[in-house]
Amino acid sequence: MGSTPGLGVQRGRPLAGAFTPPGDKSITHRALVFGLLADGVTRVHGANRGEDCARSATCGEALGAQGKRTPGGWELHGTAGTLRAPHADLKCGNSGTTMRLLAGVVAAFPAAGASRSFTARLTGDASLSHRPMRRIAEPLERMGARVEGRGERCTPPLTVTGGALRGIDYDAPMASAQVATCVLLAGLAASGETSVTLPGPARDHTERLLPLFGVAVERSELNGGGRTVRVSGGATLRAADVRIPGDLSSAAFLFAAAAAEPGSRVTAHDVNLNPTRTAFLDVLREMGAHVTVERAREESGEPVGDVTVEGPERLAAFDVPADWVPRMLDEVPAWVVVASAATGTSRLSGAAELRVKESDRLSALARGLGVLGVTCAERPDGLAVTGGVPRGHGRIETQLDHRIAMAFAAIGCRTREPVWLDDVSHVATSFPGYFDTLASLGAGVVSVPRGRGGP
Ligand code: S3P
């Protein structure tokens, strides 16, 4: 279905079959960025092939790595810690992870003793250009870099002037894995030790992957789900072979569509089951869906398994405990798919961070549900969704956000008329084959009638 800008999705048959989700986006970004710093050739097997991770690879090339796409993913000849000053802007596209991780990398160059100055400008698309970067600018400046963006929120483009950094102990105000990884990456090239304390749970792929690149990481858990992570400066990364598991955040949309339709049954192979990411599977179980895991194993420091989700006769509404939300941060759009199919009202709170993702997701989801006639109350930090029968024919504004497009396509799997999506091109940032996978499992995927651009 390629780069069709708009599409419609409607009920076909109950979803049935198996698929392999794209490689995990968060882990692929980290493997590429660590590979950029490493000495030798890093091989990233099963890498996510979407546009976001490709941005991390091409920005890595602009900083001196030599990259090559392989049938399985990427091969990256690293810089052994000697970055080249980029000749042009580092174009991060839609990818917040690329921008935040690479800001931490370039902030630490040139290292002590180098004579040339090193300034990098990181740019993004219309969505990324509105996202807050103060959260990384603040710790990087404390370490000794200069980071300039636009206005109070320090939005991109970002200009980072790096130099010899000093390690800090950073108490992050939000439990953000991107912020933690940015500071730790800067810390690897800083003097002394750097620690980051996160106030709550956040994905821990960085801590799991750095040891594969030969870097020691100290970690201590705090009450309430937070943790402190510590690295030593002057680290040398050695190249690694990394096997990327499937992305649960991508599979979640197909799991949600299956859970929402009685008689559906889908299996996703090789899915990452990192406990910092799996709360959505717990929510599905609480609502009455059948979720089973087979072939549970570990690969490249991450738990992996095959996951099957079956749609029950009836899904029950469920209020998601606020402390589960950090473990299903990217799955809230998928939660809307099941909440809108459940009997009763499901509530979710503690999700204000969703307002600063690729779009303001709480508002985009509430508006889209309104278009489909589903009752949804938008709260400052959450949503309350009352299940019902969504009507198709509505035209959803996807707001340059892949997960908004995928969520409403998944809702379309049970509407009689198509749910029209105004623009699905951003789905390729994380899940290039999404609509083909939906169609192969039984959904009705239809093109926008010629000359109409959807209803
Ligand atoms: C990510 C962390 C999360 C998540 C994003 C990817 C990562 O963001 O929403 O899609 O790879 O570290 P925050 O760090 O802002 O919570």
CSV table of all heavy atoms in Angstrom, one decimal, residues 256-289:
chain,number,residue,atom,x,y,z
A,256,ALA,N,-5.0,-5.1,20.2
A,256,ALA,CA,-6.2,-4.4,20.6
A,256,ALA,C,-7.3,-4.7,19.6
A,256,ALA,O,-8.5,-4.9,20.0
A,256,ALA,CB,-5.9,-2.9,20.6
A,257,ALA,N,-7.0,-4.7,18.3
A,257,ALA,CA,-8.1,-4.9,17.3
A,257,ALA,C,-8.6,-6.3,17.5
A,257,ALA,O,-9.9,-6.6,17.4
A,257,ALA,CB,-7.5,-4.7,15.9
A,258,ALA,N,-7.8,-7.3,17.8
A,258,ALA,CA,-8.2,-8.7,18.0
A,258,ALA,C,-9.1,-8.8,19.3
A,258,ALA,O,-10.1,-9.4,19.3
A,258,ALA,CB,-7.0,-9.6,18.1
A,259,ALA,N,-8.6,-8.1,20.4
A,259,ALA,CA,-9.3,-8.2,21.7
A,259,ALA,C,-10.7,-7.6,21.5
A,259,ALA,O,-11.6,-8.0,22.2
A,259,ALA,CB,-8.5,-7.5,22.7
A,260,ALA,N,-10.8,-6.6,20.6
A,260,ALA,CA,-12.1,-5.9,20.5
A,260,ALA,C,-13.1,-6.6,19.7
A,260,ALA,O,-14.3,-6.1,19.6
A,260,ALA,CB,-11.8,-4.5,19.9
A,261,GLU,N,-12.8,-7.7,19.1
A,261,GLU,CA,-13.7,-8.4,18.1
A,261,GLU,C,-13.8,-9.8,18.6
A,261,GLU,O,-12.9,-10.6,18.5
A,261,GLU,CB,-13.1,-8.3,16.7
A,261,GLU,CG,-14.0,-8.9,15.6
A,261,GLU,CD,-15.3,-8.1,15.4
A,261,GLU,OE1,-15.4,-6.9,15.7
A,261,GLU,OE2,-16.2,-8.8,15.0
A,262,PRO,N,-15.0,-10.2,19.1
A,262,PRO,CA,-15.2,-11.6,19.5
A,262,PRO,C,-14.8,-12.6,18.4
A,262,PRO,O,-15.1,-12.3,17.2
A,262,PRO,CB,-16.7,-11.7,19.8
A,262,PRO,CG,-17.1,-10.3,20.1
A,262,PRO,CD,-16.3,-9.5,19.2
A,263,GLY,N,-14.1,-13.6,18.7
A,263,GLY,CA,-13.7,-14.6,17.7
A,263,GLY,C,-12.4,-14.4,17.0
A,263,GLY,O,-12.0,-15.2,16.2
A,264,SER,N,-11.8,-13.2,17.3
A,264,SER,CA,-10.5,-12.9,16.6
A,264,SER,C,-9.4,-13.7,17.4
A,264,SER,O,-9.5,-13.9,18.6
A,264,SER,CB,-10.2,-11.4,16.7
A,264,SER,OG,-11.0,-10.7,15.8
A,265,ARG,N,-8.3,-14.0,16.7
A,265,ARG,CA,-7.2,-14.6,17.3
A,265,ARG,C,-5.9,-14.3,16.5
A,265,ARG,O,-5.8,-14.7,15.4
A,265,ARG,CB,-7.4,-16.1,17.4
A,265,ARG,CG,-6.3,-16.9,18.1
A,265,ARG,CD,-6.6,-18.4,18.1
A,265,ARG,NE,-5.9,-19.1,19.2
A,265,ARG,CZ,-4.7,-19.6,19.0
A,265,ARG,NH1,-4.0,-19.4,17.9
A,265,ARG,NH2,-4.1,-20.2,20.0
A,266,VAL,N,-5.0,-13.5,17.1
A,266,VAL,CA,-3.8,-13.2,16.4
A,266,VAL,C,-2.6,-13.5,17.3
A,266,VAL,O,-2.6,-13.4,18.5
A,266,VAL,CB,-3.7,-11.7,16.0
A,266,VAL,CG1,-4.8,-11.3,15.1
A,266,VAL,CG2,-3.6,-10.8,17.1
A,267,THR,N,-1.5,-13.9,16.6
A,267,THR,CA,-0.3,-14.3,17.3
A,267,THR,C,0.8,-13.4,16.7
A,267,THR,O,1.0,-13.2,15.5
A,267,THR,CB,0.1,-15.8,17.0
A,267,THR,OG1,-0.9,-16.6,17.6
A,267,THR,CG2,1.5,-16.1,17.6
A,268,ALA,N,1.6,-12.8,17.6
A,268,ALA,CA,2.8,-12.0,17.2
A,268,ALA,C,4.0,-12.8,17.6
A,268,ALA,O,4.1,-13.2,18.8
A,268,ALA,CB,2.8,-10.6,17.8
A,269,HIS,N,5.0,-13.0,16.7
A,269,HIS,CA,6.2,-13.8,17.0
A,269,HIS,C,7.3,-12.8,17.5
A,269,HIS,O,7.4,-11.7,17.1
A,269,HIS,CB,6.7,-14.5,15.7
A,269,HIS,CG,5.8,-15.5,15.2
A,269,HIS,ND1,5.5,-16.6,16.0
A,269,HIS,CD2,5.1,-15.7,14.1
A,269,HIS,CE1,4.6,-17.4,15.3
A,269,HIS,NE2,4.4,-16.8,14.1
A,270,ASP,N,8.1,-13.3,18.4
A,270,ASP,CA,9.3,-12.7,18.8
A,270,ASP,C,9.1,-11.3,19.4
A,270,ASP,O,9.8,-10.3,18.9
A,270,ASP,CB,10.3,-12.6,17.6
A,270,ASP,CG,10.6,-14.0,17.0
A,270,ASP,OD1,10.5,-15.0,17.7
A,270,ASP,OD2,10.8,-14.0,15.8
A,271,VAL,N,8.2,-11.1,20.3
A,271,VAL,CA,7.8,-9.8,20.8
A,271,VAL,C,8.7,-9.5,22.1
A,271,VAL,O,8.9,-10.4,22.9
A,271,VAL,CB,6.3,-9.8,21.2
A,271,VAL,CG1,6.0,-8.4,21.7
A,271,VAL,CG2,5.5,-10.2,20.0
A,272,ASN,N,9.2,-8.3,22.2
A,272,ASN,CA,9.9,-7.9,23.4
A,272,ASN,C,8.9,-7.8,24.5
A,272,ASN,O,7.8,-7.2,24.4
A,272,ASN,CB,10.5,-6.5,23.1
A,272,ASN,CG,11.2,-6.0,24.4
A,272,ASN,OD1,11.1,-4.8,24.8
A,272,ASN,ND2,12.0,-6.8,25.0
A,273,LEU,N,9.3,-8.5,25.6
A,273,LEU,CA,8.4,-8.5,26.8
A,273,LEU,C,9.1,-7.9,28.0
A,273,LEU,O,9.0,-8.4,29.1
A,273,LEU,CB,8.0,-10.0,27.1
A,273,LEU,CG,7.1,-10.6,26.0
A,273,LEU,CD1,6.9,-12.1,26.2
A,273,LEU,CD2,5.7,-9.8,26.0
A,274,ASN,N,9.9,-6.9,27.8
A,274,ASN,CA,10.5,-6.1,28.8
A,274,ASN,C,9.4,-5.7,29.8
A,274,ASN,O,8.5,-5.0,29.4
A,274,ASN,CB,11.3,-5.0,28.2
A,274,ASN,CG,12.0,-4.2,29.3
A,274,ASN,OD1,11.5,-3.8,30.3
A,274,ASN,ND2,13.3,-3.9,29.0
A,275,PRO,N,9.6,-6.0,31.1
A,275,PRO,CA,8.5,-5.7,32.1
A,275,PRO,C,8.2,-4.2,32.2
A,275,PRO,O,7.2,-3.8,32.7
A,275,PRO,CB,9.0,-6.2,33.4
A,275,PRO,CG,10.4,-6.7,33.2
A,275,PRO,CD,10.7,-6.8,31.7
A,276,THR,N,9.2,-3.3,31.7
A,276,THR,CA,8.9,-1.9,31.8
A,276,THR,C,7.9,-1.5,30.6
A,276,THR,O,7.6,-0.3,30.5
A,276,THR,CB,10.2,-1.0,31.6
A,276,THR,OG1,10.8,-1.3,30.4
A,276,THR,CG2,11.1,-1.3,32.8
A,277,ARG,N,7.5,-2.4,29.8
A,277,ARG,CA,6.7,-2.1,28.6
A,277,ARG,C,5.4,-2.9,28.5
A,277,ARG,O,4.6,-2.7,27.6
A,277,ARG,CB,7.5,-2.4,27.3
A,277,ARG,CG,8.9,-1.7,27.2
A,277,ARG,CD,8.7,-0.4,26.5
A,277,ARG,NE,8.2,-0.4,25.2
A,277,ARG,CZ,8.9,-0.6,24.1
A,277,ARG,NH1,10.2,-0.8,24.2
A,277,ARG,NH2,8.3,-0.6,22.9
A,278,THR,N,5.1,-3.8,29.5
A,278,THR,CA,4.1,-4.8,29.2
A,278,THR,C,2.7,-4.6,29.9
A,278,THR,O,1.9,-5.4,29.9
A,278,THR,CB,4.6,-6.2,29.7
A,278,THR,OG1,5.1,-6.1,31.0
A,278,THR,CG2,5.6,-6.8,28.7
A,279,ALA,N,2.5,-3.4,30.5
A,279,ALA,CA,1.3,-3.2,31.2
A,279,ALA,C,0.1,-3.3,30.3
A,279,ALA,O,-1.0,-3.7,30.8
A,279,ALA,CB,1.3,-1.8,31.9
A,280,PHE,N,0.2,-3.0,29.0
A,280,PHE,CA,-1.0,-3.1,28.2
A,280,PHE,C,-1.5,-4.6,28.1
A,280,PHE,O,-2.7,-4.8,28.0
A,280,PHE,CB,-0.6,-2.6,26.8
A,280,PHE,CG,-1.8,-2.6,25.8
A,280,PHE,CD1,-3.0,-1.9,26.1
A,280,PHE,CD2,-1.8,-3.3,24.7
A,280,PHE,CE1,-4.1,-1.9,25.3
A,280,PHE,CE2,-2.9,-3.4,23.8
A,280,PHE,CZ,-4.1,-2.6,24.1
A,281,LEU,N,-0.6,-5.5,28.1
A,281,LEU,CA,-1.0,-6.9,28.1
A,281,LEU,C,-1.8,-7.2,29.4
A,281,LEU,O,-2.8,-8.0,29.4
A,281,LEU,CB,0.2,-7.9,28.0
A,281,LEU,CG,1.0,-7.8,26.6
A,281,LEU,CD1,2.1,-8.8,26.6
A,281,LEU,CD2,0.1,-8.0,25.4
A,282,ASP,N,-1.4,-6.6,30.5
A,282,ASP,CA,-2.1,-6.8,31.8
A,282,ASP,C,-3.5,-6.2,31.7
A,282,ASP,O,-4.5,-6.8,32.2
A,282,ASP,CB,-1.3,-6.2,32.9
A,282,ASP,CG,0.1,-6.8,33.1
A,282,ASP,OD1,0.2,-8.0,32.7
A,282,ASP,OD2,1.0,-6.1,33.6
A,283,VAL,N,-3.6,-5.0,31.0
A,283,VAL,CA,-4.9,-4.4,30.9
A,283,VAL,C,-5.8,-5.3,30.0
A,283,VAL,O,-7.0,-5.5,30.4
A,283,VAL,CB,-4.7,-3.0,30.2
A,283,VAL,CG1,-6.1,-2.4,29.8
A,283,VAL,CG2,-4.0,-2.0,31.2
A,284,LEU,N,-5.3,-5.8,28.9
A,284,LEU,CA,-6.1,-6.7,28.1
A,284,LEU,C,-6.6,-7.9,28.9
A,284,LEU,O,-7.8,-8.2,28.8
A,284,LEU,CB,-5.3,-7.2,26.9
A,284,LEU,CG,-4.9,-6.2,25.8
A,284,LEU,CD1,-4.1,-6.9,24.7
A,284,LEU,CD2,-6.1,-5.6,25.2
A,285,ARG,N,-5.8,-8.5,29.8
A,285,ARG,CA,-6.2,-9.6,30.6
A,285,ARG,C,-7.3,-9.1,31.6
A,285,ARG,O,-8.4,-9.8,31.7
A,285,ARG,CB,-5.1,-10.1,31.4
A,285,ARG,CG,-4.1,-10.9,30.5
A,285,ARG,CD,-3.0,-11.6,31.4
A,285,ARG,NE,-2.1,-12.3,30.6
A,285,ARG,CZ,-0.8,-11.9,30.4
A,285,ARG,NH1,-0.4,-10.8,31.0
A,285,ARG,NH2,0.0,-12.6,29.7
A,286,GLU,N,-7.1,-8.0,32.2
A,286,GLU,CA,-8.1,-7.4,33.2
A,286,GLU,C,-9.5,-7.2,32.5
A,286,GLU,O,-10.5,-7.3,33.1
A,286,GLU,CB,-7.6,-6.1,33.8
A,286,GLU,CG,-6.4,-6.2,34.7
A,286,GLU,CD,-6.8,-6.8,36.0
A,286,GLU,OE1,-8.0,-6.9,36.4
A,286,GLU,OE2,-5.8,-7.2,36.7
A,287,MET,N,-9.4,-6.9,31.2
A,287,MET,CA,-10.7,-6.6,30.5
A,287,MET,C,-11.4,-7.8,30.0
A,287,MET,O,-12.5,-7.8,29.4
A,287,MET,CB,-10.4,-5.6,29.3
A,287,MET,CG,-10.0,-4.2,29.8
A,287,MET,SD,-9.6,-3.1,28.5
A,287,MET,CE,-11.2,-2.5,28.1
A,288,GLY,N,-10.7,-9.0,30.1
A,288,GLY,CA,-11.3,-10.2,29.7
A,288,GLY,C,-10.7,-10.9,28.5
A,288,GLY,O,-11.2,-11.9,28.1
A,289,ALA,N,-9.7,-10.3,27.8
A,289,ALA,CA,-9.2,-10.9,26.6
A,289,ALA,C,-8.2,-12.0,27.1
A,289,ALA,O,-7.7,-12.1,28.2
A,289,ALA,CB,-8.3,-9.9,25.9
